[in-house]
Structure formats: structure tokens, C-alpha cells
Amino acid sequence: MKNSDLLDVIIVGGSYAGLSAAMSLGRSLRKVLVLDNGKPCNRQTPYSHNFITHDGEKPLEILRTAKKQVENYDTITFFEGLATKGKKTENGFEVITENGESFKAKKLIFATGITDDIPNIKGFKECWGISLIHCPYCHGYEFRNRKTAIIANGDRGFHLSSIIKNLTDDITIFTRGEACFTDEQLEKLSENKISIIETEIEEMVHHKGNVDYLSLNNGEKLNFDAVYGAFHFKQHSDIPGSLGCKFTEHGHLVVDHKQMTTEAGIYACGDNSSILRSVANAVHTGNFTGAMVNMELSNEVF
């Protein structure tokens, strides 16, 4: 493939969603380029769960197997690098990487994921994805019936509590400041024996990412086996926004029933456009997006 070639599709992001979209397109003989910088968001997570046929496997092993299978389709090309710019052209789109490489295609798929805004608290980064977790469906079973902390406030904290309560009866919510629950929520939390601590966390003391205790700035040290965090996030790539794509109030890319963004010819799949954040959902939306893009390409010439 030459950089000047007009491809059918450029997929920005080569993790689970991107590879799934690529396979769907490759099986329809579409000329596809997968651009990826090799840094999936769950690279620190030791095991992936709740993905049928792959439950309990290492995320990077799933990824390696997926890429190996996608490489079997000779119309798919891979380029390792970070996409930093995108623009519309007469025939579609152009994507430029951080080292100046340029590629053109009729359609774009963003499978770029999101970046978590983890608090700058000692130990958080090292525990993220191991014992500091975001999803009870992905990792909650492994910490069932264990002493559990939730770092969240308001509706987010209440929502997480209601789901995690089915997995353990020992839950403490850390709001890291004044609690923002309604009277009805406070009553429900009390009924379920869920305590609330407003004191700020100073450090998550751990052993190789496995939490031992939370050290608070008032000197308290409280032991926990698992910590759930509901943190803000940002889009991993700012290219969709620069191309005019719109976002939801929570920050996800707006997509329609075909996974198309608000800009014609630009699609999105995986974590960047879904509140359901899991490997299984990324694979599902990627597969579906590939089929929808192929259908659009087919309809344009049929």
C-alpha cells in the first residue's frame, strides 16, 4: 500500500473494537488501514471477564490472537503510530500521524476509546485495573463477599452501590468531600448498611496493584480488598471533535443506529461512543460498525 492510495476505510484504533470492525470489512474485501499506537486502555488489567469464550484470559493475549486472525485478510494493512490530525477531502478523509505520515480513505471509523481522569493520589495509577476497578460486571465477581470501597458521589455513587450490593454486604462510599446524595438516596444507603466517608483519601497503599488499605488525610487507615471508582473521562482522540462530530452530555461520541457519528462518513465504536464499557461490547459494536460501513460503500456504487 502506498500512502497516496485511496483506501475504503481507515480505522483509527486497533484494539478490540477496531480489530472487530477490520475483520468485518476484510471479509468483504474492503481495503482497510488500521492505525494504532499499541497502548490499549486495559493493558494493566491482569484478566478479562464477562466475555464468552474468553472469560478469565489475559487482555493482551485476547488482543494478540485477534490481531493475528485479522492479519489473515490481505486487504487489511496495519500502521503503528498515533493519529493526530484529520481533515475532510474531496473523496473522503485524510488522517495524519504524529510523524507526518498521511493516509486517505472514503470512510473513517474511530475506535479510539477514552482516557480515565484518575485522581492524582499516590497509588491510584498503580492499582487502576487491578484492584481499583471501574466495572462490577467485568471484575466484581472476583471480589465478591469482600470488603469494598466505592469512590464516587451523588448519582454515580448511588448507582454503583445498588449494583455492587448484590456482590457484597460490606460497602463504604468515599465522596472525597461533602456528600451529594438526596434524602431518599441517603435513606436507601442507610437501609442497606452502606456507610459514607467524606474525608479525602491521601494514598492507596498496595502490593503490586493489590490494595491493602486506604490512608486518609486525617490519619485513618482503612483496610479494603477492592475499590470501585467512578471517575470522569475524556476522549482519547480529539480528531473526531475537530471534524465536527458531536458529543453527548457525558462526553461520548453521538452515534445513530448504524454507529455513524453526526458527520456523514465518520463512524465510531467501542468505549468512545458507549456507556457500556467492556471488551465484549467493544467487539460487538466494532463488528456491527464494519458491516454498516460496508453497506454504505456498497450502496454508493450499486
Side-chain angles (χ1 to χ4, degrees), residues 11-243:
I11 300 174
V12 184
S15 191
Y16 311 99
L19 290 175
S20 184
M23 177 176 282
S24 186
L25 289 160
R27 291 183 60 80
S28 290
L29 305 181
R30 296 300 180 185
K31 293 180 181 178
V32 178
L33 173 68
V34 180
L35 272 168
D36 186 66
N37 67 349
K39 295 180 180 179
C41 68
N42 66 350
R43 58 189 178 275
Q44 186 165 288
T45 304
Y47 301 101
S48 179
H49 292 285
N50 203 30
F51 181 14
I52 200 74
T53 73
H54 294 285
D55 188 45
E57 290 186 26
K58 295 179 179 179
L60 292 181
E61 286 300 321
I62 299 173
L63 197 59
R64 273 191 283 266
T65 300
K67 186 176 181 181
K68 184 177 180 180
Q69 291 177 350
V70 173
E71 287 173 337
N72 289 328
Y73 298 92
D74 56 14
T75 60
I76 300 174
T77 304
F78 291 86
F79 183 88
E80 185 173 343
L82 180 65
T84 56
K85 296 179 182 178
K87 62 182 180 180
K88 297 176 183 178
T89 66
E90 183 179 349
N91 298 314
F93 304 91
E94 182 179 4
V95 175
I96 303 167
T97 69
E98 61 182 346
N99 63 0
E101 295 278 357
S102 174
F103 304 95
K104 297 178 182 179
K106 300 172 187 175
K107 310 294 178 187
L108 287 183
I109 296 176
F110 286 99
T112 42
I114 56 178
T115 300
D116 297 285
D117 187 15
I118 302 172
N120 187 26
I121 296 175
K122 188 176 180 181
F124 269 44
K125 183 178 180 181
E126 292 79 3
C127 292
W128 185 238
I130 301 174
S131 60
L132 175 57
I133 53 184
H134 77 284
C135 176
Y137 297 105
C138 296
H139 305 289
Y141 181 84
E142 283 63 46
F143 292 101
R144 64 196 182 279
N145 302 319
R146 308 287 288 275
K147 191 174 178 62
T148 300
I150 297 174
I151 301 174
N153 205 345
D155 291 341
R156 286 186 173 192
F158 186 79
H159 171 68
L160 266 177
S161 300
S162 67
I163 296 174
I164 298 170
K165 183 64 170 62
N166 192 57
L167 296 167
T168 178
D169 288 324
D170 196 338
I171 299 174
T172 302
I173 297 176
F174 288 83
T175 59
R176 301 179 59 219
E178 184 178 356
C180 299
F181 298 103
T182 66
D183 291 341
E184 184 180 355
Q185 289 173 336
L186 288 170
E187 185 177 347
K188 278 285 186 182
L189 293 172
S190 178
E191 286 176 3
N192 285 281
K193 297 182 172 56
I194 297 174
S195 57
I196 300 171
I197 295 177
E198 297 178 324
T199 309
E200 180 60 88
I201 300 168
E202 188 173 81
E203 181 181 356
M204 180 178 289
V205 180
H206 65 95
H207 176 68
K208 294 183 177 179
N210 295 292
V211 61
D212 290 322
Y213 60 88
L214 296 181
S215 178
L216 309 185
N217 64 3
N218 63 1
E220 283 189 272
K221 296 179 180 179
L222 303 176
N223 295 95
F224 290 97
D225 300 305
V227 181
Y228 290 84
F231 307 122
H232 294 292
F233 68 87
K234 62 181 179 181
Q235 289 284 328
H236 188 69
S237 173
D238 59 6
I239 301 176
S242 72
L243 291 171

